[in-house]
Amino acid sequence: LSCFRNIIDAIIPIIMLARLQSILQQFPDLDLNRSLLLGLSGGPDSLVLLDLLSRLDYPLSAAHFDHSLRDESGVDAQRVGEIALSRNLPFFLGKGDVRAFSVEESLSIEEAARILRYRFLFSKAREVGAQAVVVAHTADDQVETILMHLLRGTGLSGLKGMDTFSLPNEWSQDIILLRPLLDIWREDVINYCQENDLNPVTDPSNREVTFFRNRLRHELLPYLETFNPAVRRSIWKTARVLKGDDELLERMVEREWSRAIHEKGPGYVSLHLSILKEQPVGLQRRLLRKALAMLRPGLRDISFDMVERGLHRLEGKKTGLLTDLGSGLYIYVEGDIVWVANWEAELPTSRWPQLELSRGRLQEKELHVPGSVQLRNGWEMHAAVMEDINTARKKASQNQDPYTTWLDSFGLQFPLLLRPRKPGDRFQPLGMEGSSIKVSDLMINEKIPKRVRRAWPLVVAGEIIVWVPGLRPAHQFRLLDKTDKVVQLTLKTP
Amino acid sequence: LSCFRNIIDAIIPIIMLARLQSILQQFPDLDLNRSLLLGLSGGPDSLVLLDLLSRLDYPLSAAHFDHSLRDESGVDAQRVGEIALSRNLPFFLGKGDVRAFSVEESLSIEEAARILRYRFLFSKAREVGAQAVVVAHTADDQVETILMHLLRGTGLSGLKGMDTFSLPNEWSQDIILLRPLLDIWREDVINYCQENDLNPVTDPSNREVTFFRNRLRHELLPYLETFNPAVRRSIWKTARVLKGDDELLERMVEREWSRAIHEKGPGYVSLHLSILKEQPVGLQRRLLRKALAMLRPGLRDISFDMVERGLHRLEGKKTGLLTDLGSGLYIYVEGDIVWVANWEAELPTSRWPQLELSRGRLQEKELHVPGSVQLRNGWEMHAAVMEDINTARKKASQNQDPYTTWLDSFGLQFPLLLRPRKPGDRFQPLGMEGSSIKVSDLMINEKIPKRVRRAWPLVVAGEIIVWVPGLRPAHQFRLLDKTDKVVQLTLKTP
């Protein structure tokens, strides 16, 4: 039996090499002539990966990041460097103050270490022109990561675990993050080390930076094995199935995204409410999550509560209400448009007529007839006398354009004035006989978005509001049979 | 503070009733005039559900299943009955020998108890014409179920947990399985009991039938809370997101299924290989899983390995190889058709010409010219003399139909014979000059499926094979310039 075991052990390196090759072959983007940068911690996983990669044809270099969290970390780093140099590999050593960084950024030690380590690896990879950073996470690491995500709360993207091939990734748009050992168990890695006389520098049971993960590895997983001895493999298989499912859903999201998106600008993304609402809730959630991820690419996990609050806003009947999503973002429904935005972002107003601002003040402007006035974002108001009364009457009766109107000029005082609304402003729209309505109420009724009401131009003759552009003209200046002179007002959009 | 707590406690029933109503309103299929059958264990969860449901307008009855696993279970059952009767509800008591059933069916006690309990509840529901069986699983039960699935190995359908509304379900095609408390935590249930003087009959910490679940509840979850005090809520939220994702994927499967399916018959399902292969692997997996679920509706979990073995078969280049999937099923690729079948199932042969069987023996038959012969599944072979030689020559040269051929009758021996292949049979197809090929090799080359080769009809004149239907005619009997008499052979499909 021990002889049989010897044979197996001798075969392991061959099998593992073959598996590594078959994994790498799945990614045709990998170029045999471009180099790989290996993250070399000095633990058994990374030593085995070093040994396997040296047997392949890719140009290879290695990098080690000294987290400086233990006294002996410098000595260890030196030994890791010696291993790389003994194999004639270019070696890069990085060092950072993880503790200080964790305090500065209010991060756990683990998270701070991770960020500094990967930043170093990717900056080195860029420097040496490597096509990929290769790290040695195993199937055991995968299972631990998934459990960690589950314990902390996650969705499918967390439960599917890490990807073997990741581009773009958190660190780069063009350098691949490669984890070729995700299908290989730590047990096989340890055997490989023994069989090939690889001597790990660091004790993997002593990863001082990952207290949470250590408890998970040394306490939780053995405990879970008392429920099911094959629990690691069960979780690993689950992750594999979920990865396929997640890919399917992401395809679906990509397909619907181009329909759902309305506009993307600095600090905001807007979506079509009607298109979102026709999707099943799972897809609404993923589309909203995608919008949030565009505004917060750094945020590793867009939280469940953030997305659910957003979904709740979409469900509500009322438009015009803001919902705070946390992390400095809000969601706001305006007619058919859903705005997801930073609190500081200025939402575009170019879809509506707005008076110009000068040193923070809204500009009143005279409008001569004929004549024209410039508004914000390239909008213009034109006024003209229309000689052909019959045509004017016909056009007015058939008009569908809310930004054009015709007024009986009898009683109009020239020049007209374009000004913002004032408190107490009232208006009697065409058809509302004998009474008037507050302009502010009218704007609410007509669903003019709140944020553009203040600078909305009113056309005034003396004290009388003769037109609220976008709405009907004043009843008093409607065209009558006896009308003998007509003024045509038109808002031109850019 | 204690006063404030009192107010909260007093409000709980009102809030919970409102939540229950809003949950039930989500399901327009529920009919206020049709009754609900409540599964009443006597634990706090089911008592609270009883109390809440009595405040609604649905006709209500209750049923209790005595698992007879403890000495006092009969006394408990009686007390549960008294509670139902004190509320003037119709009450049904069931009893079963869980231990015997578990031995008989090689099930865990837990699983045996579950099956007998639900069978009882659904048979009673059918008897009294109830529209739904209502059970009192809480958010805590949901979390436990998900963890149990994760530990045992599962996919998205296991991780999303139980559904509030389930139809069709494992037990019925038309009676709903309803779990309206899935959003409510056990803590609130316990408070509700205290506030409303509900006295549980059974101790929920003493569910003797669910040893695994008990360890999960009393050991694992408190332990996981040392990693994250809010772990229950995290898992519950995860499940909620996954449920939406799973719904999306199931929609996708439904859409593709109608394209992918080829045929469904007793003990088999066949799919189009080319359509499967154009799908991403996640969808291939789900389509295959659906086919397996159709053949094994009783199998609660189609295993990961079963599906992966099937996927592996689809990836393979070779057709005609069987892969055992376990659970008495196999998968078999035949040209563009993927058969998923029971080992005992007889796959349909109706797509191919087959000699008839009589008492297990293949029937040789004489074919007169003119004349016809009956084959299996409504196929027929027709022979006729064709007078117009030029037309015959033209048709033969343009022929696309592998089941029609024209032979020079010079040298043919009548009547022709239809017989199965014999060992050593050789054939010289049209165009193959000077040599012949073994009929068995020819059938392999021409991709005639293995299972239909034995009964494939050969047309023989004396000792010479003149035609293998589906392939070219014999070289020797091809139409020549000097041909003056032509026999036309045609296979007619039903």
Side-chain angles (χ1 to χ4, degrees):
Chain A
L1 198 76
S2 114
C3 162
F4 182 66
R5 186 67 230 178
N6 285 344
I7 293 169
I8 294 288
D9 288 346
I11 293 173
I12 285 178
I14 300 164
I15 295 173
M16 272 171 59
L17 191 64
R19 283 176 67 186
L20 181 67
Q21 279 173 316
S22 92
I23 287 166
L24 295 179
Q25 272 162 14
Q26 287 167 30
F27 306 106
D29 290 353
L30 285 177
D31 178 349
L32 258 181
N33 299 312
R34 291 189 57 205
S35 77
L36 303 176
L37 179 76
L38 172 64
L40 195 61
S41 71
D45 307 340
S46 68
L47 285 193
V48 166
L49 188 53
L50 172 70
D51 197 68
L52 287 169
L53 286 175
S54 346
R55 297 168 194 235
L56 300 181
D57 294 331
Y58 297 92
L60 189 63
S61 52
H64 177 84
F65 187 74
D66 178 359
H67 299 100
S68 316
L69 288 165
R70 288 173 301 119
D71 290 340
E72 63 275 35
S73 73
V75 182
D76 283 355
Q78 208 180 334
R79 288 185 53 209
V80 171
E82 284 160 14
I83 290 172
L85 296 175
S86 74
R87 289 172 178 259
N88 294 316
L89 295 182
F91 177 74
F92 308 100
L93 180 61
K95 195 169 167 160
D97 191 340
V98 170
R99 258 186 248 285
F101 184 66
S102 86
V103 173
E104 233 165 72
E105 302 280 324
S106 310
L107 295 167
S108 68
I109 291 282
E110 179 175 356
E111 182 63 8
R114 194 183 78 89
I115 291 175
L116 290 184
R117 183 170 67 247
Y118 276 99
R119 278 191 191 162
F120 164 70
L121 291 174
F122 275 85
S123 76
K124 274 296 155 203
R126 187 168 309 283
E127 235 176 272
V128 303
Q131 62 183 320
V133 167
V134 196
V135 291
H137 295 111
T138 60
D140 292 85
D141 292 313
Q142 180 73 298
V143 169
E144 289 158 17
T145 299
I146 291 162
L147 272 177
M148 199 156 71
H149 287 157
L150 183 73
L151 291 176
R152 287 175 172 173
T154 185
L156 198 52
S157 58
L159 291 178
K160 78 179 167 67
M162 299 175 275
D163 289 321
T164 300
F165 183 100
S166 172
L167 186 76
N169 52 61
E170 220 180 318
W171 316 101
S172 174
Q173 294 293 314
D174 53 356
I175 301 171
I176 300 158
L177 177 55
L178 202 60
R179 298 184 185 93
L181 299 190
L182 281 184
D183 295 349
I184 289 169
W185 295 93
R186 190 169 296 133
E187 192 188 339
D188 293 329
V189 163
I190 303 294
N191 283 341
Y192 187 108
C193 280
Q194 286 166 357
E195 195 60 28
N196 291 272
D197 296 322
L198 301 177
N199 297 311
V201 172
T202 54
D203 177 357
S205 70
N206 183 25
R207 295 201 186 170
E208 74 296 332
V209 292
T210 56
F211 175 70
F212 192 88
R213 190 181 276 269
N214 255 347
R215 261 196 81 197
L216 224 135
R217 179 178 302 171
H218 298 294
E219 287 181 23
L220 178 57
L221 271 162
Y223 176 62
L224 292 182
E225 280 169 339
T226 67
F227 286 85
N228 171 9
V231 70
R232 287 170 208 259
R233 271 159 218 267
S234 289
I235 293 175
W236 183 87
K237 286 174 183 177
T238 298
R240 187 163 162 152
V241 173
L242 296 185
K243 184 168 154 53
D245 284 343
D246 194 58
E247 279 168 10
L248 279 183
L249 290 166
E250 281 309 304
R251 273 175 192 236
M252 212 188 256
V253 169
E254 286 312 315
R255 208 167 44 213
E256 293 302 324
W257 177 256
S258 54
R259 288 183 61 225
I261 187 154
H262 163 255
E263 196 178 341
K264 158 124 188 65
Y268 67 87
V269 175
S270 55
L271 303 165
H272 293 285
L273 180 63
S274 53
I275 292 175
L276 278 181
K277 300 269 272 191
E278 67 189 42
Q279 310 298 338
V281 65
L283 198 48
Q284 287 183 29
R285 193 179 273 128
R286 282 184 173 249
L287 289 167
L288 194 53
R289 183 175 284 273
K290 185 178 168 79
L292 292 167
M294 285 179 123
L295 298 173
R296 288 284 180 279
L299 220 58
R300 282 186 82 201
D301 279 315
I302 308 284
S303 82
F304 172 85
D305 293 321
M306 197 165 171
V307 178
E308 295 306 299
R309 270 203 295 278
L311 282 184
H312 190 71
R313 176 75 280 150
L314 300 186
E315 273 168 30
K317 297 277 181 297
K318 284 196 182 172
T319 75
L321 291 179
L322 282 170
T323 298
D324 186 0
L325 298 179
S327 298
L329 296 171
Y330 70 91
I331 188 168
Y332 173 58
V333 178
E334 188 179 274
D336 188 48
I337 302 302
V338 180
W339 299 96
V340 185
N342 283 338
W343 283 107
E344 309 79 39
E346 195 171 323
L347 298 191
T349 55
S350 54
R351 291 168 62 215
W352 295 277
Q354 298 279 279
L355 291 166
E356 287 189 317
L357 280 166
S358 171
R359 273 166 291 165
R361 289 181 62 89
L362 291 167
Q363 296 296 294
E364 298 195 353
K365 287 197 176 172
E366 288 186 349
L367 174 61
H368 292 274
V369 183
S372 68
V373 158
Q374 199 68 34
L375 298 173
R376 225 187 289 176
N377 299 313
W379 287 68
E380 270 178 5
M381 173 78 83
H382 292 268
V385 173
M386 208 164 160
E387 304 291 349
D388 181 349
I389 312 285
N390 284 330
T391 304
R393 213 175 265 124
K394 195 174 162 199
K395 283 192 169 179
S397 69
Q398 297 172 349
N399 185 34
Q400 297 288 331
D401 173 12
Y403 290 138
T404 299
T405 197
W406 293 263
L407 305 174
D408 184 338
S409 81
F410 180 78
L412 282 181
Q413 204 173 312
F414 298 106
L416 298 168
L417 184 71
L418 259 60
R419 66 156 174 86
R421 65 177 190 184
K422 290 176 189 165
D425 267 350
R426 298 189 73 87
F427 176 60
Q428 185 187 7
L430 176 64
M432 183 185 271
E433 280 183 75
S435 68
S436 64
I437 182 170
K438 279 167 78 180
V439 169
S440 53
D441 290 343
L442 190 68
M443 286 178 157
I444 293 171
N445 294 348
E446 298 290 333
K447 300 196 166 53
I448 293 180
K450 191 173 179 184
R451 64 198 173 77
V452 292
R453 287 179 207 156
R454 204 176 66 89
W456 198 274
L458 308 183
V459 184
V460 180
E463 290 302 305
I464 308 167
I465 297 170
V466 300
W467 188 34
V468 181
L471 312 183
R472 288 162 292 174
H475 190 73
Q476 182 181 349
F477 296 99
R478 70 195 182 280
L479 303 191
L480 299 169
D481 288 346
K482 62 183 181 189
T483 298
D484 58 1
K485 203 178 163 198
V486 174
V487 174
Q488 174 177 313
L489 299 177
T490 307
L491 264 171
K492 294 244 157 86
T493 55
Chain B
L1 197 74
S2 113
C3 162
F4 182 67
R5 185 68 231 177
N6 284 345
I7 293 168
I8 294 288
D9 287 347
I11 293 172
I12 285 177
I14 300 163
I15 296 174
M16 272 168 66
L17 189 65
R19 284 176 66 187
L20 180 67
Q21 279 173 317
S22 91
I23 287 166
L24 296 180
Q25 272 162 15
Q26 287 168 28
F27 306 106
D29 290 352
L30 285 178
D31 179 348
L32 259 180
N33 299 311
R34 291 188 57 205
S35 78
L36 304 176
L37 179 75
L38 171 65
L40 194 62
S41 72
D45 308 340
S46 66
L47 284 194
V48 166
L49 188 52
L50 172 69
D51 196 68
L52 287 169
L53 287 175
S54 338
R55 295 168 196 237
L56 300 180
D57 294 332
Y58 298 92
L60 187 64
S61 52
H64 177 85
F65 188 74
D66 178 359
H67 298 99
S68 316
L69 289 163
R70 288 173 299 121
D71 290 340
E72 64 275 34
S73 74
V75 181
D76 284 354
Q78 206 179 337
R79 287 186 53 209
V80 171
E82 283 159 16
I83 291 173
L85 295 176
S86 74
R87 289 173 178 259
N88 293 316
L89 295 181
F91 177 74
F92 307 101
L93 180 61
K95 195 169 167 160
D97 191 340
V98 170
R99 260 185 247 284
F101 185 65
S102 86
V103 172
E104 232 165 73
E105 301 280 323
S106 309
L107 295 167
S108 68
I109 290 282
E110 178 175 357
E111 183 62 7
R114 194 183 77 90
I115 291 175
L116 290 184
R117 184 171 65 247
Y118 277 98
R119 280 191 190 162
F120 164 68
L121 291 174
F122 275 85
S123 77
K124 273 297 156 202
R126 189 167 307 284
E127 237 176 271
V128 303
Q131 61 183 322
V133 167
V134 197
V135 291
H137 294 110
T138 61
D140 292 85
D141 292 314
Q142 180 73 298
V143 169
E144 289 158 18
T145 298
I146 290 162
L147 273 175
M148 201 157 71
H149 287 157
L150 183 73
L151 291 176
R152 289 175 171 171
T154 185
L156 198 51
S157 57
L159 290 177
K160 77 177 168 69
M162 300 175 274
D163 289 320
T164 299
F165 183 100
S166 172
L167 186 76
N169 52 61
E170 222 179 318
W171 316 101
S172 174
Q173 294 294 315
D174 53 356
I175 300 172
I176 301 158
L177 177 56
L178 202 61
R179 298 184 185 93
L181 299 188
L182 281 183
D183 295 349
I184 290 170
W185 295 92
R186 191 169 295 132
E187 193 189 338
D188 294 328
V189 164
I190 303 293
N191 284 340
Y192 187 107
C193 281
Q194 286 166 357
E195 196 58 29
N196 291 270
D197 296 323
L198 302 177
N199 297 309
V201 171
T202 53
D203 177 358
S205 69
N206 183 24
R207 295 201 186 169
E208 74 295 335
V209 293
T210 57
F211 175 69
F212 192 89
R213 189 180 276 267
N214 255 346
R215 257 194 85 198
L216 224 136
R217 179 178 300 172
H218 298 294
E219 286 181 24
L220 179 56
L221 272 162
Y223 177 63
L224 292 181
E225 280 170 339
T226 67
F227 286 86
N228 172 9
V231 69
R232 287 170 208 259
R233 270 160 219 268
S234 290
I235 293 175
W236 183 86
K237 287 174 182 176
T238 298
R240 186 163 160 151
V241 173
L242 296 184
K243 183 169 156 54
D245 285 344
D246 193 59
E247 279 168 9
L248 279 182
L249 290 165
E250 280 308 304
R251 272 177 194 238
M252 212 188 255
V253 169
E254 287 311 315
R255 209 167 44 216
E256 295 301 325
W257 177 257
S258 54
R259 287 184 60 226
I261 187 154
H262 163 255
E263 196 178 343
K264 158 123 189 65
Y268 67 86
V269 175
S270 56
L271 303 165
H272 293 286
L273 180 63
S274 53
I275 292 175
L276 278 181
K277 299 269 272 194
E278 68 188 41
Q279 310 299 337
V281 65
L283 198 48
Q284 286 182 29
R285 192 179 276 129
R286 281 182 175 253
L287 289 168
L288 194 52
R289 184 176 284 273
K290 186 178 166 79
L292 293 168
M294 285 177 122
L295 298 173
R296 288 284 179 278
L299 220 59
R300 281 189 83 199
D301 280 316
I302 307 285
S303 83
F304 172 87
D305 293 321
M306 197 166 172
V307 178
E308 295 307 298
R309 269 203 297 277
L311 282 182
H312 190 70
R313 176 74 281 150
L314 299 186
E315 273 168 29
K317 297 275 183 297
K318 284 196 182 170
T319 73
L321 291 180
L322 282 172
T323 298
D324 185 359
L325 299 178
S327 297
L329 295 172
Y330 70 91
I331 187 170
Y332 172 60
V333 178
E334 187 179 276
D336 187 48
I337 303 300
V338 180
W339 298 97
V340 185
N342 282 338
W343 282 108
E344 308 79 39
E346 194 172 322
L347 297 191
T349 55
S350 53
R351 292 170 61 215
W352 295 277
Q354 298 278 279
L355 291 166
E356 287 189 315
L357 280 165
S358 172
R359 273 165 292 166
R361 291 182 62 91
L362 292 167
Q363 296 296 296
E364 300 195 350
K365 288 198 176 171
E366 288 188 347
L367 176 61
H368 293 274
V369 184
S372 69
V373 157
Q374 200 66 33
L375 297 173
R376 225 189 289 177
N377 299 313
W379 287 69
E380 271 178 4
M381 174 78 84
H382 292 268
V385 174
M386 208 162 160
E387 304 292 349
D388 180 348
I389 312 287
N390 282 329
T391 303
R393 212 174 265 123
K394 195 172 162 202
K395 283 191 170 182
S397 69
Q398 296 172 350
N399 184 36
Q400 297 288 331
D401 173 13
Y403 290 138
T404 299
T405 197
W406 293 265
L407 305 175
D408 185 337
S409 80
F410 180 78
L412 282 183
Q413 204 173 314
F414 300 105
L416 299 168
L417 184 71
L418 260 60
R419 67 157 173 85
R421 66 178 190 187
K422 292 178 188 163
D425 266 350
R426 298 188 74 87
F427 178 59
Q428 185 186 6
L430 176 64
M432 183 184 271
E433 280 181 76
S435 68
S436 66
I437 181 168
K438 278 166 78 182
V439 169
S440 53
D441 290 342
L442 189 69
M443 285 180 158
I444 293 171
N445 294 349
E446 299 289 333
K447 299 195 167 51
I448 292 178
K450 191 172 179 186
R451 65 198 173 80
V452 291
R453 287 179 207 156
R454 204 175 66 89
W456 199 272
L458 308 182
V459 183
V460 180
E463 289 301 304
I464 307 166
I465 296 170
V466 301
W467 189 34
V468 181
L471 312 181
R472 289 162 292 174
H475 190 73
Q476 182 181 345
F477 297 98
R478 71 193 181 282
L479 303 191
L480 299 169
D481 288 346
K482 64 183 179 186
T483 298
D484 60 1
K485 200 177 165 199
V486 174
V487 172
Q488 173 178 315
L489 300 178
T490 306
L491 263 173
K492 293 242 158 85
T493 56

